Amino acid sequence: MPSLTHVALVELEKAGILKFVISQNVDSIHLRSGIPREKLAELHGNSFMEICPSCGAEYLRDFEVETIGMKETPRRCSDIKCGAKLRDTVLDWEDALPRKEMNAASKHCRMADVVLCLGTSLQITPACNLPLKSLRGGGKIVIVNLQPTPKDKKAWLVVHGMVDQVMAGVMERLNCQISPYVRIDLFHVIFNQTHCIGERKYTKWSLRVISVHGEKAPLSFIKSVEISFPDRRELKVAVLQKQPFVLKREMLLRPLDILLKINLSDGCGCQFVNIDFPVNFEESSGCVNLDKDKVIQKLKDVTVQDQCCGKFSVIERKNVPGQKKELSTYAVVTNIVKYGAIAPIAKLSVVNTVAKRSKEKVDIRSDDCLMASCEGEGTMKKLRVQ
């Protein structure tokens, strides 16, 4: 889940203050929290991202990709004109940093008025030298880290403290509110049926709960699925404990109410979600094709308003041509995190290296430490974060 600092950076980006983020992490949290992909350089890759080596398409997953070292994965590019085998994006020790990401990082560091280094030891080359590129254009470096770093002497300001505490103070001084983080995950429900004609009409059907990334892709946020039949008490409840979550039945051809209880994995904000899934074997339930972004935003707004997760919505429902198969896509809120006030720092080690070199006396209060980097310079136009 994103930390306070992750979501604070998103708010600064929305406000037009933050221009670019350079990350050495592979946890995908910057993308999850809302930093636009075009404003992010992931120097060491992303363990939740696959890339097509042929057409360059990127696929962000809700599960950790099985391999590292830019190896082939079990999936292929979904572009019908391509179809190449995908690769993971996480570097192994001997791999060079990706040129595309490094070029973007270098460009934005050179343009920056301020490069803000948050929670990094600045020891891994060549990434640790990126902030120095801002100095040539008159930019400044601000370092926030618990321990000293090899670049402290080059920084305009060094803050030895917890990043979340420092960023909470910055957001308060800027009067920027930190919105709750709402996590939304997607999954498919596939219902397939075959009519059998005999002395009595009956049907064979199957119901599958699968990942939107493919039938064999892991559903990391779902622990198990319980399927019951509220209007047919004589039918036994089915408990699907592991993937593939598939139930097959044979019964008389008449309407049926199905209740799906999606039990969520440990770490989710609620234990389960109940979804009514009515079936009329002789009539289609109708197609649904909603704007995905609008549905997700509405779910987020309602979740923040009610302060509870577990809400869900259908994004799409369609019939597979030539088959008695119906595919429904659901979006479900699996977590919400509200970032409350962080206790002020009683004592914070702040070093203004420029003043230290010129032997001037400096008095900077802890709640002013990062804002001091902008004083006397007018509005901060370009801020890059490493």
Side-chain angles (χ1 to χ4, degrees):
M1 300 297 289
S3 67
L4 181 146
T5 297
H6 285 101
V7 291
L9 294 178
V10 173
E11 297 297 339
L12 292 176
E13 188 277 326
K14 290 178 180 177
I17 298 174
L18 175 66
K19 301 299 182 182
F20 200 77
V21 176
I22 304 167
S23 176
Q24 295 171 263
N25 297 326
V26 298
D27 53 23
S28 192
I29 295 183
H30 284 301
L31 288 176
R32 267 281 181 189
S33 58
I35 294 293
R37 179 66 180 97
E38 66 272 13
K39 294 186 178 182
L40 174 67
E42 296 182 302
L43 301 184
H44 295 167
N46 184 329
S47 60
F48 292 80
M49 180 85 75
E50 291 174 289
I51 191 169
C52 177
S54 178
C55 69
E58 294 181 333
Y59 297 87
L60 184 63
R61 308 302 191 186
D62 55 16
F63 59 89
E64 200 163 5
V65 178
E66 301 89 333
T67 61
I68 64 168
M70 296 181 287
K71 300 182 181 68
E72 288 185 351
T73 70
R75 290 160 292 278
R76 290 182 176 271
C77 180
S78 60
D79 189 333
I80 57 174
K81 295 180 180 179
C82 181
K85 286 187 175 181
L86 301 179
R87 292 180 178 270
D88 72 81
T89 62
V90 178
L91 304 186
D92 213 338
W93 289 106
E94 67 274 9
D95 295 323
L97 297 187
R99 181 176 299 178
K100 179 181 176 182
E101 306 293 310
M102 275 297 290
N103 288 345
S106 298
K107 170 189 169 183
H108 284 280
C109 281
R110 287 193 298 268
M111 295 167 57
D113 299 317
V114 175
V115 174
L116 181 57
C117 304
L118 299 174
T120 172
S121 64
L122 292 172
Q123 294 188 38
I124 306 298
T125 57
C128 67
N129 294 319
L130 285 171
L132 304 181
K133 296 180 181 294
S134 66
L135 300 178
R136 299 168 191 170
K140 291 174 178 162
I141 299 172
V142 175
I143 298 174
V144 184
N145 198 52
L146 282 174
Q147 296 85 20
T149 79
K151 308 301 180 186
D152 285 0
K153 292 182 179 179
K154 299 286 187 179
W156 184 82
L157 191 70
V158 176
V159 183
H160 294 146
M162 300 293 290
V163 172
D164 277 359
Q165 290 179 311
V166 174
M167 289 304 295
V170 169
M171 298 301 283
E172 184 178 356
R173 284 296 302 274
L174 290 172
N175 198 27
C176 283
Q177 184 178 0
I178 299 178
S179 303
Y181 170 74
V182 178
R183 172 160 178 153
I184 294 180
D185 288 289
L186 308 180
F187 63 92
H188 288 322
V189 176
I190 298 178
F191 188 83
N192 193 16
Q193 60 171 311
T194 303
H195 289 181
C196 301
I197 306 297
E199 292 183 5
R200 304 175 69 186
K201 287 186 178 182
Y202 67 98
T203 182
K204 294 180 180 179
W205 59 265
S206 66
L207 187 148
R208 299 171 180 264
V209 178
I210 68 169
S211 168
V212 295
H213 303 291
E215 194 157 346
K216 294 183 179 180
L219 271 169
S220 56
F221 59 93
I222 296 181
K223 182 188 296 184
S224 63
V225 177
E226 298 177 37
I227 303 177
S228 58
F229 311 90
D231 63 336
R232 302 277 297 276
R233 299 293 181 181
E234 73 276 12
L235 298 178
K236 186 178 179 181
V237 175
V239 181
L240 312 177
Q241 297 283 7
K242 61 181 181 179
Q243 284 186 260
F245 299 123
V246 182
L247 177 65
K248 297 181 179 181
R249 286 287 173 93
E250 181 177 320
M251 60 181 57
L252 291 176
L253 199 62
R254 70 182 194 186
L256 181 67
D257 286 333
I258 298 176
L259 178 64
L260 302 177
K261 183 180 180 183
I262 310 295
N263 295 309
L264 301 177
S265 302
D266 298 338
C268 291
C270 56
Q271 294 182 332
F272 62 89
V273 177
N274 284 330
I275 297 176
D276 291 317
F277 194 85
V279 176
N280 189 330
F281 293 106
E282 297 185 294
E283 293 182 12
S284 171
S285 56
C287 295
V288 175
N289 190 7
L290 303 178
D291 187 302
K292 176 182 173 182
D293 293 335
K294 289 183 178 178
V295 171
I296 288 177
Q297 188 57 54
K298 185 175 180 180
L299 276 176
K300 288 182 177 180
D301 293 341
V302 173
T303 299
V304 171
Q305 180 181 335
D306 296 346
Q307 289 295 299
C308 65
C309 64
K311 301 181 184 299
F312 66 91
S313 178
V314 176
I315 293 179
E316 183 182 29
R317 181 176 289 123
K318 63 182 180 180
N319 297 312
V320 179
Q323 304 180 47
K324 283 281 188 178
K325 182 184 289 187
E326 181 181 276
L327 184 147
S328 302
T329 304
Y330 287 86
V332 58
V333 177
T334 55
N335 232 323
I336 177 173
V337 179
K338 188 176 181 180
Y339 301 91
I342 291 184
I345 309 165
K347 188 175 182 180
L348 191 65
S349 174
V350 181
V351 180
N352 185 300
T353 57
V354 174
K356 189 175 180 180
R357 286 194 293 270
S358 61
K359 298 182 181 180
E360 295 175 3
K361 185 177 180 181
V362 182
D363 181 17
I364 304 177
R365 300 193 311 275
S366 61
D367 61 345
D368 291 334
C369 57
L370 288 188
M371 293 304 297
S373 65
C374 308
E375 290 176 5
E377 298 292 332
T379 304
M380 179 163 51
K381 298 177 181 177
K382 300 169 185 173
L383 172 65
R384 270 62 178 181
V385 176
Q386 182 177 27

